[in-house]
Amino acid sequence: MTEKAEAMPKGDTARSRVRIVLVRPRGAGNVGSVARAMKNMGLHDLVLVRPSLRRRFWATAMAVHAVDLLDAARTVQTLDEAVADCGFVLGTTCRRGPYRSRARTPRELAPQIVSFARSGPVAIVFGPEDHGLSNHDLRCCQQLIHVRTESAYPSLNLAQAVLLCCYEIRQAEFDGRGVGSQPARAPAGDVEFAYQKFEAALLRIGFLNTENPDHIMFAFRRMFGRSGLEPRDVRILLGLARQIEWYGRSAATFEDVS
Amino acid sequence: MTEKAEAMPKGDTARSRVRIVLVRPRGAGNVGSVARAMKNMGLHDLVLVRPSLRRRFWATAMAVHAVDLLDAARTVQTLDEAVADCGFVLGTTCRRGPYRSRARTPRELAPQIVSFARSGPVAIVFGPEDHGLSNHDLRCCQQLIHVRTESAYPSLNLAQAVLLCCYEIRQAEFDGRGVGSQPARAPAGDVEFAYQKFEAALLRIGFLNTENPDHIMFAFRRMFGRSGLEPRDVRILLGLARQIEWYGRSAATFEDVS
């Protein structure tokens, strides 16, 4: 079911810069269905992180006329690699938990996704079929996204979840919502580097618990992630980390001396 | 992916009176996926018109935790039977033609579907996977409904089409009821207090230029301002300021001593 020839040249849409990232997918059929759903909605950029797919013929079977998209999909070994060039990285979640609050719906986020995609690549990250994204995976994500479903059966099939995200993005682009471009975000690789320096500095001054530094670091990641760091913000954060680090080291040295 | 326990008693929603009718479906896996998608979105009433399903185990496999819905599905011999008690019947279409103009989208029609469903059953009719509804089938339908997709690959999988319709209906039902609240933001006074402590700490470690501390502080205010600080974020920021301050003071003391 469908209608209306709403074609745009492949490279000219914001959607063409929205990447779907599947982390450790297991169902070949699901990956094929994802490819079909993406092509139905005008997305093209599929990346698989360490897939473990058996019976690959199911992928081709379920992709139907989206085998081209499936063939063009890239495979990488880490999520960091998959999103390194992306200015905005969204992680899907189906669970609640301390690091999973503040999730918003695809409908709420779609205009923002379209705006960011006008100036550079945006990634939406989906976890494995059985458990979803781990807390470690979510580190890389600046914004959580979830589809509201019934508590009686909340868990969507992977391709269904991808479809709903792609559908809302397509709608937002056609609605003219998300008009006006956002300032360019810093690439995720640079942001991650700055987080690591910041974490090291906070460990140095004993602000983070060495047993569980992630607890507070997640709060910072969330704060800065919601904010969306621009290149200059990242430089400032790096500078601050350096300065804290210096003071932490000096104090330690003086303590040793005294 | 999902969230929010938005359960309603099964019989109390408009959605529970929206029937999904599959006319002559052929893929058992598709029928299972349809059941799952319906249950994900809170619909329960599935009717099959003259299905010709082989390998029925696929239906159960794809339904996963919606086997109850699948088991409760009724099978009838004609579309007329399937929709006889419905006050509003919508037919899905993926083709254009003399009987197929005036199709509208699920988003446009969802509020109307919900309104009708408040007073009695409404049916949305989907055709066979290969050819869709025939003109004869469309006789029974008062309104055409279609999902907009890309001309490069317009044809949605059956379960995907059902999902999008159910999703829009669920959204429409919830939209009227102010679902989805934003987390509470910290009061501006607390945020300002934290900014001042943070600024003092950064001055202490020489990260800000004493001549013009605002230059960098504005960048932080903008970062955190875009983010929207919650009460816990403010506490973390205050804690960090205290810790930096302590290290800055210690280092200075040691310098004085040495």
Side-chain angles (χ1 to χ4, degrees):
Chain A
M1 66 181 281
T2 172
E3 184 104 333
K4 290 247 168 112
E6 292 176 325
M8 285 186 184
K10 190 164 163 176
D12 263 17
T13 63
R15 273 168 295 148
S16 67
R17 281 182 294 273
V18 178
R19 179 176 306 160
I20 299 297
V21 179
L22 305 183
V23 177
R24 302 181 298 282
R26 288 156 162 275
N30 283 339
V31 174
S33 294
V34 164
R36 178 175 179 174
M38 288 175 63
K39 192 165 175 180
N40 286 153
M41 293 299 155
L43 281 78
H44 310 285
D45 189 6
L46 176 61
V47 175
L48 311 179
V49 181
R50 279 204 287 125
S52 57
L53 309 176
R54 282 169 304 159
R55 299 196 290 179
R56 284 182 171 262
F57 64 91
W58 273 117
T60 314
M62 296 304 287
V64 194
H65 297 297
V67 173
D68 56 339
L69 198 152
L70 200 60
D71 288 343
R74 283 166 296 143
T75 297
V76 296
Q77 288 307 306
T78 66
L79 178 53
D80 290 274
E81 270 178 89
V83 303
D85 60 333
C86 294
F88 190 28
V89 182
L90 300 100
T92 52
T93 176
C94 59
R95 286 180 284 164
R96 286 162 178 280
Y99 306 130
R100 293 159 192 272
S101 57
R102 315 231 358 135
R104 296 170 67 202
T105 65
R107 185 161 301 179
E108 289 168 327
L109 289 166
Q112 209 180 340
I113 292 169
V114 170
S115 298
F116 276 110
R118 289 196 208 286
S119 54
V122 169
I124 309 181
V125 185
F126 295 81
E129 290 87 339
D130 43 2
H131 290 105
L133 292 172
S134 67
N135 283 344
H136 184 75
D137 297 327
L138 287 178
R139 262 186 326 113
C140 300
C141 303
Q142 295 142 18
Q143 172 69 54
L144 294 183
I145 184 168
H146 73 92
V147 176
R148 291 203 183 124
T149 47
E150 291 293 300
S151 54
Y153 190 8
S155 163
L156 286 170
N157 164 276
L158 176 60
Q160 302 277 48
V162 171
L163 174 75
L164 288 178
C165 291
C166 297
Y167 167 77
E168 287 290 1
I169 290 166
R170 187 176 192 281
Q171 288 276 341
E173 187 161 31
F174 276 104
D175 285 355
R177 289 185 294 148
V179 171
S181 67
Q182 299 271 351
R185 293 266 177 109
D190 294 1
V191 173
E192 187 54 40
F193 181 76
Y195 283 159
Q196 283 170 17
K197 293 291 176 191
F198 191 58
E199 177 173 343
L202 298 188
L203 276 167
R204 170 78 72 177
I205 64 168
F207 184 62
L208 300 181
N209 181 344
T210 47
E211 299 294 306
N212 184 14
D214 284 348
H215 184 64
I216 296 290
M217 274 310 292
F218 262 115
F220 277 114
R221 282 171 182 272
R222 199 63 69 229
M223 268 187 248
F224 291 123
R226 287 200 308 265
S227 166
L229 297 179
E230 296 165 23
R232 176 169 177 259
D233 299 331
V234 169
R235 286 195 300 274
I236 290 175
L237 206 57
L238 271 175
L240 175 60
R242 250 196 314 272
Q243 195 82 349
I244 293 177
E245 179 81 31
W246 190 89
Y247 267 80
R249 223 169 22 226
S250 310
T253 311
F254 288 125
E255 268 177 63
D256 291 347
V257 168
S258 59
Chain B
M1 66 182 283
T2 173
E3 181 106 333
K4 290 256 168 96
E6 292 177 326
M8 285 186 184
K10 192 164 160 176
D12 262 19
T13 64
R15 274 167 295 148
S16 67
R17 283 184 292 274
V18 177
R19 180 175 306 159
I20 299 297
V21 179
L22 305 183
V23 177
R24 301 181 298 283
R26 290 157 161 271
N30 283 339
V31 174
S33 295
V34 163
R36 177 175 182 174
M38 288 175 64
K39 192 166 175 181
N40 286 152
M41 294 298 155
L43 282 77
H44 310 284
D45 188 6
L46 176 62
V47 175
L48 310 179
V49 181
R50 279 202 290 127
S52 57
L53 308 177
R54 282 168 304 160
R55 300 195 290 180
R56 282 180 173 264
F57 65 92
W58 274 118
T60 315
M62 296 304 288
V64 195
H65 298 296
V67 173
D68 56 339
L69 198 152
L70 201 60
D71 289 343
R74 285 167 294 143
T75 297
V76 297
Q77 288 307 306
T78 65
L79 178 53
D80 291 274
E81 268 178 272
V83 302
D85 59 337
C86 295
F88 189 30
V89 181
L90 301 99
T92 54
T93 174
C94 60
R95 286 180 287 163
R96 288 163 178 278
Y99 305 128
R100 294 161 194 267
S101 57
R102 305 195 54 92
R104 294 170 67 200
T105 66
R107 184 161 301 179
E108 289 169 328
L109 289 166
Q112 207 179 339
I113 292 170
V114 170
S115 302
F116 275 108
R118 289 196 208 288
S119 53
V122 169
I124 310 181
V125 185
F126 296 81
E129 290 89 337
D130 45 2
H131 290 105
L133 293 171
S134 68
N135 284 344
H136 183 77
D137 297 326
L138 287 178
R139 267 184 320 116
C140 299
C141 303
Q142 295 142 18
Q143 172 69 53
L144 293 183
I145 184 169
H146 74 94
V147 177
R148 290 204 182 124
T149 47
E150 292 292 299
S151 56
Y153 190 7
S155 163
L156 286 169
N157 163 276
L158 176 59
Q160 301 278 48
V162 171
L163 174 75
L164 288 177
C165 291
C166 297
Y167 167 76
E168 287 289 1
I169 290 166
R170 186 176 194 281
Q171 288 276 341
E173 187 162 27
F174 276 105
D175 277 356
R177 309 198 307 124
V179 171
S181 61
Q182 295 281 338
R185 295 277 169 97
D190 294 1
V191 173
E192 188 52 42
F193 181 76
Y195 283 159
Q196 283 170 18
K197 292 291 177 191
F198 193 56
E199 177 173 343
L202 298 189
L203 275 166
R204 170 77 74 176
I205 62 168
F207 185 62
L208 301 181
N209 181 344
T210 48
E211 298 296 307
N212 185 13
D214 284 348
H215 182 63
I216 296 290
M217 274 311 291
F218 264 119
F220 277 114
R221 282 170 182 272
R222 226 161 41 87
M223 269 187 250
F224 291 123
R226 287 201 306 265
S227 167
L229 297 180
E230 296 166 24
R232 176 169 178 259
D233 298 333
V234 169
R235 286 196 298 276
I236 290 176
L237 207 56
L238 272 175
L240 175 61
R242 251 195 313 274
Q243 195 82 348
I244 293 177
E245 178 80 32
W246 189 90
Y247 268 80
R249 221 168 26 226
S250 311
T253 311
F254 288 123
E255 267 178 65
D256 289 348
V257 168
S258 59

